[in-house]
Amino acid sequence: IGGNTSYGVHVSLTLTTGTVVRGNFIGTDATGTLALPNVGGGMLIDGANDVRVGGTNSGDGNVIAFNAGRGVAIITNTPGAGVRNALLGNRIYGNLGIAIDLDANGANPNDAAPDTDNGANGLQNHPVVTNAQQGSTTVQGFLVSATSLTFRCEFFATNVPQGMLFLGASNLVTSAGGTAVFTTVIFPLTLPTSAYVCATATDPAGNTSELSPGARVKPAIDSDADGLWDSWEVANFGTLSSNGTGNADGDALSNYQEFIADTSPTNAAAVFELDNLTNALPHHVVWNSSASRWYDLEFSTDLH
């Protein structure tokens, strides 16, 4: 859905309820990589209620990117309208305006608990991400909102090769004072230190917040300076007594080489290698991969 002179998708009027928008490329071509911007922005929800953009199942999420305005704008046209609009599992990035704009007035500051202000999606507060650490990515922060409710908090990485990654979700329950603190939300993917982790919060009624500012990913901890992340050493050896030059399983790879490939340093049969390579079109290259590593596949059309 691209190249339009207004918004790519426009859902309007208070009596419009229950619309589902999922699995689309809004502002891009069908590969999700080339820009076909919509001039107004990616999507406008104008007074409609109970709209679901994306979802929690595989393939539900939309790519909303490269548009010449906001990614998704939600506004009210009458009091109490433009609410319960859930944005779940989408990749919203590279737009000239902010990713999610409630009331279409730019980024809204969080207010104090119990977050009772009015506006689009009730101006739901966004989570505050205070720290993101390499290893298996560990995210810390807090949410201040309505009291004693369960919120779905979705976490995203920006400034990565794909533009934005949906990392996953965690349910947070606010206290009687309206606060939920998360200290050990862990995702298996290891992010580069150029990335930022940001988040949204969606209340039980379906009101999704704006996307939070991001926390820069910090390098993984290597307290003994042996080139091996502490988290990897403890996971594989139980202690920090090993080092990068050792070879615990006696194969051809040092502990450091096993760490780079994220193969087991205590299993000589666990090696990084191609499992299959097909010579006929389409070519398939197969290897045992790790969710905690990034891979670059390089190729040449000849042997020179």
Side-chain angles (χ1 to χ4, degrees):
I1 303 174
N4 297 288
T5 57
S6 183
Y7 282 88
V9 177
H10 187 178
V11 185
S12 65
L13 302 181
T14 305
L15 295 180
T16 302
T17 63
T19 302
V20 178
V21 180
R22 63 187 179 195
N24 301 284
F25 297 93
I26 303 174
T28 81
D29 70 339
T31 69
T33 58
L34 298 179
L36 290 175
N38 298 289
V39 174
M43 182 172 180
L44 174 63
I45 300 174
D46 181 3
N49 303 311
D50 301 291
V51 178
R52 173 165 290 204
V53 183
T56 59
N57 297 318
S58 177
D60 281 353
N62 302 279
V63 175
I64 305 174
F66 311 134
N67 294 287
R70 308 168 183 90
V72 178
I74 304 175
I75 61 177
T76 62
N77 53 27
T78 57
V83 294
R84 301 183 302 277
N85 298 301
L87 281 67
L88 304 172
N90 302 288
R91 292 172 53 204
I92 309 175
Y93 66 95
N95 302 287
L96 289 184
I98 64 175
I100 303 170
D101 194 349
L102 303 184
D103 274 357
N105 58 359
N108 293 300
N110 285 338
D111 59 338
D115 189 16
T116 56
D117 48 352
N118 297 312
N121 273 6
L123 296 183
Q124 168 62 49
N125 283 353
H126 60 70
V128 177
V129 180
T130 58
N131 185 51
Q133 195 86 41
Q134 271 187 336
S136 292
T137 303
T138 302
V139 181
Q140 299 170 327
F142 61 90
L143 171 67
V144 176
S145 190
T147 62
S148 304
L149 285 182
T150 300
F151 292 82
R152 175 182 171 89
C153 288
E154 294 193 341
F155 296 88
F156 304 86
T158 63
N159 227 24
V160 293
Q162 292 88 345
M164 171 181 268
L165 288 175
F166 171 55
L167 296 175
S170 179
N171 288 332
L172 300 180
V173 181
T174 54
S175 67
T179 301
V181 177
F182 50 96
T183 58
T184 54
V185 177
I186 298 175
F187 303 105
L189 183 66
T190 294
L191 297 171
T193 54
S194 60
Y196 292 80
V197 174
C198 46
T200 61
T202 302
D203 71 12
N207 294 293
T208 297
S209 71
E210 295 178 345
L211 189 67
S212 75
R216 182 79 175 263
V217 175
K218 297 178 181 177
I221 298 173
D222 179 14
S223 60
D224 52 2
D226 61 358
L228 309 176
W229 294 342
D230 288 2
S231 59
W232 188 86
E233 278 191 85
V234 172
N236 285 281
F237 298 114
T239 69
L240 300 180
S241 59
S242 299
N243 58 55
T245 59
N247 187 355
D249 55 10
D251 60 9
L253 300 177
S254 68
N255 291 340
Y256 179 74
Q257 290 172 310
E258 302 261 22
F259 162 70
I260 291 296
D262 202 27
T263 51
S264 173
T266 59
N267 179 3
V271 294
F272 181 72
E273 63 181 353
L274 293 182
D275 291 331
N276 189 28
L277 174 63
T278 62
N279 208 20
L281 293 174
H283 298 299
H284 292 279
V285 181
V286 182
W287 66 89
N288 286 325
S289 62
S290 165
S292 296
R293 297 294 182 267
W294 296 82
Y295 299 90
D296 290 325
L297 180 61
E298 299 182 357
F299 64 92
S300 175
T301 57
D302 61 66
L303 296 180
H304 298 289

